[in-house]
Amino acid sequence: MFVSTSWLLLWGSIVWAATAEPVTLHIGGTFPMESGSGGWAGGEACLPAVQMALEDVNNRLDILPGYVLNMTNHNSQCQPGLAMQQLYDFLYKPPTKLMLLTGCSPVTTVIAEAAPVWKLVVLSYGGSSPALSNRNRFPTLFRTHPSANMQNPTRIHIMEKFKWKRFTILMSVEEVFVTTAKDLEALARKKGIRVDRQSFYGDPKDAMKTLQRQDARIIVGLFYVTEARKVLCQAYHHGLYGRRYVWFFIGWYADTWYYPPPEEHLNCTAEQMAAAAEYHFTTESVMLSRDNLPAISDMTGMQFQERLTRHFQKETANVGGFPEAPLAYDAVWALALAFNCTRNNLPSHIRLENFSYDNKIIADTLFQCVKNTSFRGVSGKVMFSDSGDRIARTQIEQMQGGKYKIMGYYDTTSGDLEWYNKEQWLNGRGPPPDSTVIKKHAMTVSNEFYYPTIFFSVLGILACVLIYIFTQKHRERLVIFQSQPECNNILLIGCSLCLFSLFLIGLPSDDISVPESLFPFLCHARVTILLFGFTFAYGSMFAKVWIVHRMGATENQQLASRQKDELKPLLSNFSEKEENTPWEGIRTLISTMVGRQALMRKSSGQAYGALLEKRNTVLNQPISPTKFYVIVAALTAVDIFVCFVWILIDPLHLTEQKFPLFTPADSEEDEMIMPVLQQCQSNQQEVWIGIIMGFKCLLLVFGTFLSYETRNLKLRFINDSRFVGLAIYNVAVMTLVTAPVVTLLIHGKVDANFAFISLTVLICTYISVGLIYGPKIRHIIKVPPSADEVQQNGNTGPAVMSKVDQKRYDMLRKENETLQKQIEEKERKIHECRERLEQLTMNSETEDMNAQLLRGSNKQLAEDNMTYSTATTLTTTIPLIDLQLNGTHPGQIYANDNDDDRSSTSSDEILL
Ligand code: ABU
């Protein structure tokens, strides 16, 4: 009974409403029919959609019975200033509007900000700006258009999918895009993706240049379609399209948006624009329901689209706002349902049509009704969040061959990406890199340098081993026995170590790479091996010249003290003269440092050496190898200490020196090469290098000095001292030249650096080993072992006298002959004087006169002797002095020399 009564009442009211004059409810609407100076011209499709919805609502008896909806609309041109004027029209021109419909973000912003003053609810079908979600700023705004922020999670998801870690946002300076960009940037930062931002107002030319300079590859464009065309045209002119670039545009542009309209006067043809637009992606919220369930209007999304399409004569892809039309249609339904709800919820004495701009009750009821709206629309489920936003899925499309193809959908709420794997890339290769791929190229020693060096190093090490075996086999031979073989063995070890260090110094080479974990080990290994190799090799030679010098000094001191008194008057003249020269001062100073004052005068190097040879002195005594070991050990101890402290407090580690990028000639990919020099570096590298180099330089200079000083000294038991001296000169010159060149001039040139170091090491080791062992090996091969016995017995013959000694011998003989002649002349004069004296005596005139004559003659004789003693050789002087003091006949000198020669002949005379 009660049910049937209710039905009757409802039906009665519907019939009454249908037959009675309906009450008109007025709403205001702004539609951007064209984009003016840019913006969204969505009114072209949205206005017909709204009109269609009004018609449908008005035709429905169950919604707002007894009411009819009427809309006053204006073309806002998406311009906020114009929209403000239109708002005043709505407000101050009757009838009173109950609600406002807006499209395009700038317009929605100004209207929604002002509308609360007049207690007006604003419903936006086309405002995507994230700024519109601010409830404080827009307290009465609702929108069926999803916020532009909805696409940002989708964009980030795609970036991650294609492994892009960097992208650039290019946007026009509009609040809608600025706020979208901010949100996108914040999301990207959370995901560890680097974002650069470039904005422009009107003309994007400069911004495009910046993009080019910044090497932007993945670009998200946020701008209205007019600017989008300008950007695309500039992208074409700046070459920012094609294989290396991926553009993301907003998805609500018309499908053929990139064709340049003549009125925009773009400097690009349709073909150029199409070329630049190919393979770009778009993201946009889904705005049309694809399911087959009918919406509140009894239409499915597709049916709505078909119906709307019939309104247009042209291709709907080119109709502005066509994608958003379902949102506009649903906005009217939302508004109608809210009115319906308000009407039902208002107190009985307040009627909806009595709304005025100060009626809080109706405004609040209406606000609550809109907020609680929930229905199935042609755009999908329509409901509003607390901030008034619409929640929707995002659709991703790519332009392939001038047509948009759906790539997939992203559900922002669940975070699920539905991807169809239909994406395409230019040239068929995968997604391009997000920036120029910079490939590090370790600067390694070229094989052309490394392998020859290794060949000669191996050869050198082999030679050292063979020489060692050879000398061990012939160690009884005098030439080996008297050359300090133990010391020479250290030289061989040192040279082998130096040669081996070249293997490590040349790493990494073209063929042999070194893992980074092993680099510190390699760094320390090559420094220490080369250092110890040098100390062993050079130290063994240095030890020899040091000992030769010390023994020479000792012997000379003994000799000097023995003959000091005798030689003093003769040597004083020229000694004093020489000591005044700077060189002599240095010599004296260094000699003093050595320990003893080595009075090795330059009176005659050759003669001095010969003199010492002829005497059975300390120079001919055997020398203990311990002396050499001690010197080498001392030098090694210094190295060990320095290396230990260095490694302990400031270890070497791998550092990379980067060089300018270059593009590889043969690469099709978007890559550049960055040469990187891997170096062993300490924090205080210069200090350590300074300490080591300083010490080694001192040793080299000092060794050179000692070699020079002892160049004429021959010790029987260091028979190769002269060759050691030569080897030291060679090592000193090579090392002192190479060190600054390598450290200062060709630093950073791997091949040149390695070549210089290897050449120096190879030359020094080969020459040192060659000089010290070459003559010995030659002698052992040429001279039979029996010759050693002959030499030891002192029975040396012309066959074994060296050319140098032969010359020296001839020279001495000639000198002695000359002197003999001079002495004979003097004797003749003395004889004459005596005869004269005798005659005078016979005359017996005065004894005093005779005595006077005799004194005069002796004085002349003494003066003459002085004249000869200032001649160039000490050797010559000494026999003369001997002759005078002992009264020996000069002819005996030669005989004595021969005797001495016999007694002192040794292997060094054979060699030297
Ligand atoms: N889908 C069109 C959005 C236009 C705007 O927000 O201004």
Side-chain angles (χ1 to χ4, degrees):
M1 178 66 189
F2 173 76
V3 174
S4 54
T5 313
S6 303
W7 267 109
L8 272 173
L9 278 172
L10 178 67
W11 185 244
S13 67
I14 289 171
V15 170
W16 174 83
T19 51
E21 191 64 24
V23 178
T24 303
L25 297 175
H26 296 278
I27 59 171
T30 62
F31 294 88
M33 302 309 290
E34 68 259 16
S35 58
S37 57
W40 176 63
E44 198 180 357
C46 288
L47 180 58
V50 166
Q51 285 166 342
M52 202 160 84
L54 289 170
E55 197 183 310
D56 289 352
V57 167
N58 287 338
N59 287 339
R60 285 282 289 264
L61 295 175
D62 55 334
I63 297 169
L64 289 174
Y67 289 95
V68 64
L69 294 176
N70 180 53
M71 182 180 72
T72 310
N73 65 282
H74 291 296
N75 175 8
S76 70
Q77 296 179 29
C78 200
Q79 289 185 19
L82 184 59
M84 272 318 276
Q85 188 202 343
Q86 290 164 358
L87 174 67
Y88 291 125
D89 275 356
F90 288 143
L91 293 171
Y92 298 116
K93 283 188 183 162
T96 303
K97 318 295 178 301
L98 271 104
M99 208 188 272
L100 298 178
L101 279 179
T102 60
C104 131
S105 291
V107 168
T108 305
T109 303
V110 292
I111 292 182
E113 221 167 5
V117 177
W118 291 274
K119 307 267 184 297
L120 271 172
V121 171
V122 179
L123 189 52
S124 175
Y125 59 86
S128 63
S129 171
L132 296 172
S133 302
N134 186 343
R135 254 286 162 255
N136 295 327
R137 191 173 157 201
F138 309 102
T140 59
L141 173 71
F142 293 92
R143 49 180 168 170
T144 51
H145 197 298
S147 163
N149 277 355
M150 293 293 269
Q151 290 135 61
N152 287 342
T154 315
R155 290 179 178 123
I156 296 295
H157 211 91
I158 297 172
M159 301 288 168
E160 286 180 313
K161 180 177 169 54
F162 294 128
K163 300 191 167 46
W164 290 322
K165 298 299 266 171
R166 178 198 162 193
F167 68 90
T168 305
I169 300 170
L170 178 67
M171 59 179 188
S172 91
V173 190
E174 296 274 1
E175 190 178 34
V176 49
F177 305 122
V178 174
T179 45
T180 310
K182 270 188 188 163
D183 180 71
L184 180 57
E185 206 175 323
L187 276 183
R189 215 175 291 132
K190 271 190 206 154
K191 296 282 180 182
I193 299 172
R194 182 185 142 191
V195 185
D196 296 310
R197 245 206 284 178
Q198 274 306 312
S199 47
F200 65 93
Y201 187 78
D203 187 1
K205 199 172 177 179
D206 292 337
M208 297 297 278
K209 281 183 187 161
T210 313
L211 290 193
Q212 203 175 27
R213 232 185 359 258
Q214 287 178 343
D215 191 33
R217 299 302 168 87
I218 314 298
I219 307 157
V220 177
L222 299 175
F223 25 69
Y224 286 118
V225 71
T226 319
E227 282 106 353
R229 279 191 284 268
K230 289 183 192 166
V231 165
L232 197 66
C233 182
Q234 288 299 328
Y236 179 82
H237 288 303
H238 287 88
L240 291 166
Y241 72 101
R243 161 74 195 146
R244 299 194 292 168
Y245 300 91
V246 179
W247 284 88
F248 282 80
F249 291 119
I250 291 171
W252 38 256
Y253 305 156
D255 282 5
T256 52
W257 65 269
Y258 54 89
Y259 288 127
E263 67 273 15
E264 286 182 15
H265 306 293
L266 286 174
N267 188 20
C268 288
T269 63
E271 290 72 35
Q272 289 171 342
M273 294 288 275
E278 193 64 2
Y279 297 119
H280 77 261
F281 286 88
T282 62
T283 51
E284 186 45 74
S285 301
V286 176
M287 300 184 208
L288 182 74
S289 171
R290 302 263 165 189
D291 55 36
N292 292 322
L293 293 172
I296 193 168
S297 56
D298 289 333
M299 277 190 297
T300 63
M302 295 311 291
Q303 285 168 339
F304 162 77
Q305 207 171 48
E306 280 165 24
R307 197 173 141 201
L308 184 68
T309 306
R310 286 198 289 274
H311 278 80
F312 305 108
Q313 312 299 325
K314 59 177 180 178
E315 180 65 47
T316 52
N318 300 325
V319 175
F322 191 79
E324 291 88 351
L327 305 176
Y329 183 85
D330 284 345
V332 174
W333 276 92
L335 168 155
L337 290 174
F339 284 165
N340 207 33
C341 160
T342 310
R343 185 184 67 105
N344 293 335
N345 288 301
L346 280 175
S348 54
H349 64 282
I350 303 173
R351 297 191 64 82
L352 184 60
E353 58 270 29
N354 295 337
F355 174 73
S356 61
Y357 296 131
D358 56 357
N359 192 326
K360 193 168 178 325
I361 298 172
I362 297 178
D364 287 349
T365 315
L366 188 57
F367 179 86
Q368 284 305 321
C369 284
V370 179
K371 196 178 165 196
N372 297 328
T373 299
S374 176
F375 67 94
R376 182 181 294 279
V378 289
S379 63
K381 182 112 178 112
V382 180
M383 56 192 291
F384 304 104
S385 71
D386 283 346
S387 57
D389 281 347
R390 177 83 187 274
I391 296 154
R393 290 205 309 161
T394 307
Q395 173 181 290
I396 304 121
E397 291 181 313
Q398 189 189 28
M399 175 155 285
Q400 297 176 359
K403 298 233 167 347
Y404 280 110
K405 302 267 164 68
I406 296 173
M407 297 290 107
Y409 293 93
Y410 183 75
D411 191 332
T412 316
T413 18
S414 66
D416 290 337
L417 179 71
E418 188 183 334
W419 194 258
Y420 304 145
N421 289 320
K422 285 187 183 163
E423 72 274 21
Q424 288 182 5
W425 310 98
L426 204 68
N427 298 345
R429 292 201 295 265
D434 57 13
S435 54
T436 304
V437 177
I438 296 175
K439 286 192 175 165
K440 274 189 188 176
H441 171 73
M443 294 165 74
T444 52
V445 174
S446 325
N447 286 341
E448 296 85 67
F449 286 94
Y450 190 66
Y451 287 121
T453 304
I454 293 309
F455 172 76
F456 284 109
S457 298
V458 171
L459 207 68
I461 293 170
L462 266 180
C464 288
V465 173
L466 291 177
I467 287 169
Y468 175 76
I469 296 168
F470 183 84
T471 50
Q472 283 300 107
K473 201 175 153 203
H474 296 94
R475 63 180 176 278
E476 303 303 334
R477 295 291 302 267
L478 279 189
V479 72
I480 301 294
F481 179 72
Q482 293 183 346
S483 68
Q484 294 301 329
E486 295 83 2
C487 188
N488 289 345
N489 287 345
I490 299 175
L491 173 89
L492 288 179
I493 294 170
C495 287
S496 302
L497 283 175
C498 288
L499 291 169
F500 177 73
S501 72
L502 294 181
F503 285 81
L504 306 178
I505 291 170
L507 293 179
S509 71
D510 281 355
D511 285 349
I512 307 166
S513 59
V514 179
E516 284 197 5
S517 56
L518 285 183
F519 227 92
F521 174 75
L522 176 75
C523 292
H524 290 118
R526 55 191 184 193
V527 169
T528 44
I529 291 175
L530 182 62
L531 204 63
F532 288 116
F534 177 85
T535 302
F536 284 180
Y538 182 76
S540 66
M541 297 193 289
F542 179 83
K544 277 190 180 179
V545 289
W546 171 278
I547 286 170
V548 169
H549 189 273
R550 277 183 68 91
M551 293 181 77
T554 309
E555 171 60 22
N556 197 47
Q557 219 169 25
Q558 287 173 5
L559 183 71
S561 60
R562 192 160 61 81
Q563 295 186 334
K564 194 177 172 186
D565 297 335
E566 300 152 10
L567 295 173
K568 201 174 179 183
L570 298 170
L571 295 173
S572 60
N573 282 344
F574 68 89
S575 290
E576 276 161 21
K577 236 183 281 165
E578 288 206 357
E579 273 176 4
N580 290 334
T581 64
W583 170 235
E584 192 56 28
I586 295 164
R587 270 160 40 96
T588 310
L589 176 72
I590 299 174
S591 295
T592 313
M593 281 160 52
V594 172
R596 293 170 195 215
Q597 184 73 17
L599 292 166
M600 283 180 264
R601 303 298 181 201
K602 267 203 316 186
S603 54
S604 165
Q606 283 185 352
Y608 177 75
L611 169 68
L612 294 174
E613 262 176 50
K614 290 178 187 95
R615 296 171 52 80
N616 192 18
T617 64
V618 288
L619 304 186
N620 296 330
Q621 300 305 312
I623 308 163
S624 162
T626 317
K627 288 188 175 178
F628 300 93
Y629 290 152
V630 167
I631 294 170
V632 177
L635 297 177
T636 312
V638 175
D639 281 353
I640 290 173
F641 176 74
V642 174
C643 283
F644 182 74
V645 177
W646 183 2
I647 293 170
L648 199 73
I649 66 172
D650 188 15
L652 288 162
H653 54 265
L654 172 68
T655 56
E656 290 187 339
Q657 190 184 345
K658 292 176 177 126
F659 287 84
L661 298 169
F662 68 89
T663 317
D666 52 344
S667 170
E668 283 182 22
E669 267 305 331
D670 183 20
E671 61 181 26
M672 291 192 92
I673 303 293
M674 179 200 274
V676 168
L677 178 62
Q678 295 181 315
Q679 291 174 304
C680 295
Q681 198 84 35
S682 275
N683 297 335
Q684 301 294 327
Q685 177 101 336
E686 297 75 23
V687 175
W688 300 110
I689 295 288
I691 291 171
I692 291 175
M693 297 280 266
F695 179 59
K696 299 294 172 202
C697 281
L698 268 179
L699 269 188
L700 286 166
V701 172
F702 196 33
T704 312
F705 166 77
L706 293 177
S707 307
Y708 179 77
E709 280 290 276
T710 58
R711 67 195 180 284
N712 293 313
L713 270 181
K714 286 185 290 181
L715 272 67
R716 178 179 293 174
F717 286 91
I718 307 181
N719 63 5
D720 50 6
S721 60
R722 197 172 287 184
F723 288 112
V724 168
L726 287 176
I728 284 179
Y729 295 151
N730 167 57
V731 173
V733 170
M734 291 296 293
T735 315
L736 292 174
V737 167
T738 305
V741 170
V742 167
T743 46
L744 300 175
L745 295 185
I746 55 170
H747 181 74
K749 296 189 175 77
V750 183
D751 281 339
N753 209 297
F754 178 66
F756 238 88
I757 294 173
S758 343
L759 265 181
T760 307
V761 171
L762 287 171
I763 290 173
C764 286
T765 49
Y766 271 62
I767 288 184
S768 299
V769 172
L771 276 172
I772 288 162
Y773 283 99
K776 293 184 181 69
I777 294 168
R778 188 167 155 265
H779 175 81
I780 290 170
I781 292 168
K782 277 198 168 178
V783 181
S786 53
D788 285 0
E789 288 160 27
V790 174
Q791 287 169 34
Q792 256 180 326
N793 297 338
N795 188 14
T796 187
V800 289
M801 188 183 279
S802 72
K803 278 181 186 171
V804 178
D805 283 345
Q806 185 66 49
K807 261 188 183 172
R808 197 186 303 161
Y809 171 79
D810 291 344
M811 199 179 74
L812 276 171
R813 206 176 54 183
K814 273 181 195 161
E815 234 178 289
N816 277 340
E817 278 170 10
T818 315
L819 286 167
Q820 207 170 346
K821 278 180 191 159
Q822 288 171 346
I823 290 164
E824 279 168 9
E825 178 65 16
K826 297 289 171 197
E827 280 181 340
R828 195 182 53 75
K829 276 188 181 171
I830 293 165
H831 184 70
E832 276 177 16
C833 285
R834 281 203 178 120
E835 273 183 355
R836 215 173 144 199
L837 187 66
E838 277 169 18
Q839 272 179 2
L840 287 169
T841 313
M842 275 168 52
N843 287 343
S844 304
E845 289 214 340
T846 61
E847 267 195 13
D848 288 347
M849 246 182 104
N850 282 346
Q852 244 178 347
L853 271 172
L854 190 57
R855 269 200 303 276
S857 302
N858 283 341
K859 192 180 172 190
Q860 192 181 355
L861 182 62
E863 277 170 4
D864 286 348
N865 282 340
M866 284 295 281
T867 312
Y868 297 129
S869 61
T870 55
T872 54
T873 72
L874 188 62
T875 319
T876 326
T877 312
I878 291 166
L880 272 173
I881 297 162
D882 285 347
L883 172 73
Q884 283 183 325
L885 296 173
N886 303 332
T888 316
H889 192 277
Q892 287 176 358
I893 296 168
Y894 179 54
N896 286 346
D897 277 359
N898 279 347
D899 289 349
D900 283 352
D901 277 351
R902 271 197 297 276
S903 65
S904 67
T905 304
S906 63
S907 61
D908 61 340
E909 288 182 317
I910 299 163
L911 288 168
L912 309 175

